[in-house]
Amino acid sequence: AQSVTQPDIHITVSEGASLELRCNYSYGATPYLFWYVQSPGQGLQLLLKYFSGDTLVQGIKGFEAEFKRSQSSFNLRKPSVHWSDAAEYFCAVAPTSGTYKYIFGTGTRLKVLA
Amino acid sequence: GAGVSQSPSNKVTEKGKDVELRCDPISGHTALYWYRQRLGQGLEFLIYFQGNSAPDKSGLPSDRFSAERTGESVSTLTIQRTQQEDSAVYLCASSNRASSSYNEQFFGPGTRLTVL
């Protein structure tokens, strides 16, 4: 079955520390891969996406993600976290044909300590 | 409009009542999607519209759920005879089109539905 796993429900980091949020997927073929962020009371905002090519993808707000085919992973990273990064982060996949049917992970809630 | 809007932002209803949730997509976006986000879970796909037709309703959890779209614009998600398990945040998204090529989905802020 197609699925996305985000093993960390909650993560707490100190401001200025580095961050890595994990995402693993189970899919028949390499899908399109996405990371979204959801701040309280807000809709989901796209941070970055991977379609093909370079496996290290740069996104907005200083985030990057690395696609590792052998591990079926698409982990999100940021070298130095800011207090404003506190939010919920969702990893998602979509088939490369008919891309509307996204499959989302359960999310990781990030808390940032001052 | 500038983004996807949804109304109401919060809705509290009693079990057994019907509710209507509204989504206004970004102007010109032909594709529209509804998702459900239960507490502690990821987003579940409910239904997808291309124009005013819904080629994929596979995610609707029961026949109590229905949705329509008019004028290739506003969409309404209706839940009849609400149950407590319907309590969730209902998110709407829109995109330029849904096809074999990627088109980013832009999400609204959601409607938080609480069924007492």
Side-chain angles (χ1 to χ4, degrees):
Chain A
Q2 301 163 350
S3 64
V4 175
T5 301
Q6 293 180 247
D8 304 305
I9 298 173
H10 297 279
I11 283 186
T12 301
V13 299
S14 298
E15 191 170 19
S18 64
L19 173 70
E20 182 169 31
L21 302 182
R22 295 182 290 166
C23 173
N24 291 90
Y25 65 90
S26 173
Y27 213 81
T30 300
Y32 292 157
L33 297 155
F34 312 91
W35 274 99
Y36 283 86
V37 60
Q38 185 179 33
S39 298
Q42 305 293 316
L44 276 70
Q45 180 183 22
L46 181 66
L47 283 176
L48 47 78
K49 57 185 181 285
Y50 173 79
F51 289 168
S52 65
D54 193 347
T55 56
L56 186 62
V57 179
Q58 301 297 321
I60 62 171
K61 305 185 180 187
F63 285 92
E64 66 178 25
E66 185 172 12
F67 169 59
K68 293 186 177 180
R69 184 190 306 272
S70 61
Q71 299 176 18
S72 296
S73 69
F74 189 55
N75 294 347
L76 182 71
R77 300 195 294 247
K78 187 169 184 178
S80 177
V81 169
H82 188 263
W83 63 267
S84 61
D85 293 325
E88 190 149 22
Y89 293 79
F90 291 93
C91 180
V93 303
T96 57
S97 60
T99 57
Y100 64 88
K101 211 153 189 178
Y102 286 29
I103 300 171
F104 283 85
T106 53
T108 297
R109 184 168 296 278
L110 174 66
K111 182 177 179 179
V112 180
L113 302 176
Chain B
V4 179
S5 61
Q6 293 185 245
S7 60
S9 56
N10 280 285
K11 175 72 176 179
V12 180
T13 190
E14 293 179 349
K15 178 181 173 180
K17 297 285 180 69
D18 298 351
V19 296
E20 286 189 351
L21 312 180
R22 177 186 168 110
C23 172
D24 285 86
I26 293 172
S27 178
H29 278 191
T30 58
L32 187 146
Y33 319 80
W34 283 99
Y35 294 87
R36 179 171 69 176
Q37 183 180 19
R38 286 170 155 165
L39 188 64
Q41 299 186 22
L43 278 71
E44 302 170 69
F45 168 83
L46 296 179
I47 187 170
Y48 145 63
F49 286 92
Q50 181 59 44
N52 292 332
S53 63
D56 189 345
K57 307 179 183 180
S58 62
L60 294 177
S62 77
D63 59 7
R64 295 186 296 104
F65 287 72
S66 63
E68 65 174 15
R69 189 179 184 196
T70 57
E72 297 196 354
S73 180
V74 172
S75 175
T76 302
L77 177 69
T78 301
I79 309 173
Q80 296 177 309
R81 306 180 303 280
T82 52
Q83 303 294 313
Q84 288 182 335
E85 65 260 27
D86 299 334
S87 296
V89 175
Y90 290 83
L91 288 161
C92 174
S94 69
S95 70
N96 273 330
R97 59 188 173 93
S99 68
S100 59
S101 62
Y102 169 73
N103 287 281
E104 180 180 347
Q105 295 185 20
F106 294 84
F107 285 81
T111 294
R112 181 176 297 279
L113 174 65
T114 303
V115 182
L116 301 177

